[in-house]
Amino acid sequence: MFEWLEQEIAAIRTPRFHVTDGPATAKLRHSVMQSTLALPESYKEFVLRFGNTKLYRTARMGYEIGVFAGPRPGRLNDGTVAYEIGFHDGARVFVKPINGPAGSAVWEAENGSQERTYADFGEWLEKSCRHAREQYTPEQWSENVRGPKPFTQEEQEILAARRSISWKVIGIDSDGNHTFQVKNSSNRILPVLTIGVRSTDGRLNGATKLRIHHVRPGQTANVIADCYKEFRLPEEVEVFDLPEPEPQDRAYFDELSTQTE
């Protein structure tokens, strides 16, 4: 049923564009086959083939589509019992049993509203993936298939400078922004520094840019940044150093695409 996805994953040479656990372990297979939950057979087949899955890495450092190998019991906004099985474009995806395992519809819930999308998981996944692919131009998709170019010498020098810039949170201002103290121990100025931001409940995962163009080599200065204050209270988020960028991560790090003086 999902041969089209297997072929797509095999064709793309960009690391982490699609991420899957791979075929189910014996323990997971036993759990899936013995489960009495009213789940679509297509969902079970997917879990056995791919396990936990994240598809179509986005410019927000997240993924457009995700599937959980273990459904999470929950309720829709109207109180109906359902099982959360993944996410799609910021929405939580649920299976809402109708007439037993063969009749489990897929629902998406976001910002207090919910909508039945498709009658079956397999149809939902195929059409959601098709929509995700349509967001790329032919040139962008070809680049995903070919894989990223190696870092240039200039990019390597930027990364070396990035490793020599440190920061720490020193407070929250009256507008709910984070205040950072940034120390530039490198030999050059970077316009921005990209750092990670996530919510303590794990539902928000992204990044923010510290604008550090005024922090010259050897200097320490304060920088104010918005860390998703429209979506989470300051005490509900944590900031962290991102892993060392790799060539496929260029689009997520503005310091690699912005000219410095």
Side-chain angles (χ1 to χ4, degrees):
M1 179 181 293
F2 301 106
E3 289 80 7
W4 58 270
L5 181 57
E6 291 178 330
Q7 293 171 5
E8 182 175 306
I9 291 173
I12 291 177
R13 301 182 66 181
T14 297
R16 301 201 307 277
F17 185 75
H18 291 330
V19 178
T20 75
D21 286 349
T25 62
K27 182 178 180 180
L28 177 58
R29 176 173 291 276
H30 177 78
S31 297
V32 171
M33 300 305 292
Q34 298 301 314
S35 175
T36 59
L37 298 180
L39 300 170
E41 292 301 318
S42 56
Y43 167 74
K44 294 180 181 179
E45 179 180 339
F46 180 92
V47 169
L48 293 177
R49 285 201 193 190
F50 301 98
N52 290 296
T53 298
K54 296 183 292 186
L55 304 172
Y56 306 98
R57 197 178 184 204
T58 71
R60 302 185 301 274
M61 286 192 176
Y63 288 83
E64 183 77 9
I65 297 168
V67 178
F68 307 144
R72 305 171 182 178
R75 293 180 181 273
L76 294 175
N77 298 323
D78 62 1
T80 304
V81 174
Y83 305 110
E84 186 174 359
I85 60 170
F87 60 85
H88 175 216
D89 193 23
R92 300 166 68 189
V93 176
F94 292 85
V95 170
K96 180 180 179 181
I98 297 178
N99 295 313
S104 299
V106 177
W107 292 68
E108 294 188 5
E110 184 178 18
N111 298 328
S113 63
Q114 61 191 38
E115 177 184 6
R116 176 177 172 172
T117 55
Y118 296 102
D120 181 71
F121 170 83
E123 182 184 15
W124 167 82
L125 182 70
E126 185 170 358
K127 294 189 176 180
S128 297
C129 288
R130 183 184 306 163
H131 179 265
R133 290 192 296 272
E134 290 172 350
Q135 308 310 304
Y136 299 89
T137 65
E139 294 77 13
Q140 289 172 330
W141 189 256
S142 294
E143 184 176 343
N144 290 329
V145 173
R146 290 193 307 268
K149 297 179 181 178
F151 283 132
T152 64
Q153 180 62 36
E154 171 70 5
E155 289 173 326
Q156 291 176 5
E157 292 175 2
I158 290 172
L159 292 177
R162 192 177 183 280
R163 288 190 290 268
S164 296
I165 297 174
S166 59
W167 58 269
K168 64 180 179 180
V169 177
I170 59 174
I172 308 294
D173 69 14
S174 58
D175 293 324
N177 297 306
H178 283 63
T179 302
F180 297 81
Q181 184 181 85
V182 179
K183 181 179 180 181
N184 186 354
S185 299
S186 74
N187 60 2
R188 66 185 294 164
I189 298 172
L190 293 186
V192 298
L193 182 72
T194 306
I195 63 173
V197 180
R198 60 193 169 207
S199 61
T200 53
D201 64 7
R203 294 193 178 278
L204 182 152
N205 200 331
T208 193
K209 319 293 183 184
L210 303 185
R211 302 192 180 280
I212 60 171
H213 57 277
H214 61 293
V215 188
R216 297 184 175 276
Q219 291 185 341
T220 299
N222 292 347
V223 176
I224 295 174
D226 178 354
C227 294
Y228 296 96
K229 66 181 182 181
E230 293 185 6
F231 304 99
R232 291 289 191 275
L233 296 172
E235 58 269 24
E236 295 176 346
V237 301
E238 56 184 6
V239 289
F240 58 97
D241 282 314
L242 291 167
E244 178 79 0
E246 297 182 15
Q248 66 270 16
D249 302 322
R250 280 186 180 90
Y252 311 112
F253 291 81
D254 281 1
E255 51 266 51
L256 289 171
S257 60
T258 305
Q259 295 295 318
T260 61
E261 298 179 356

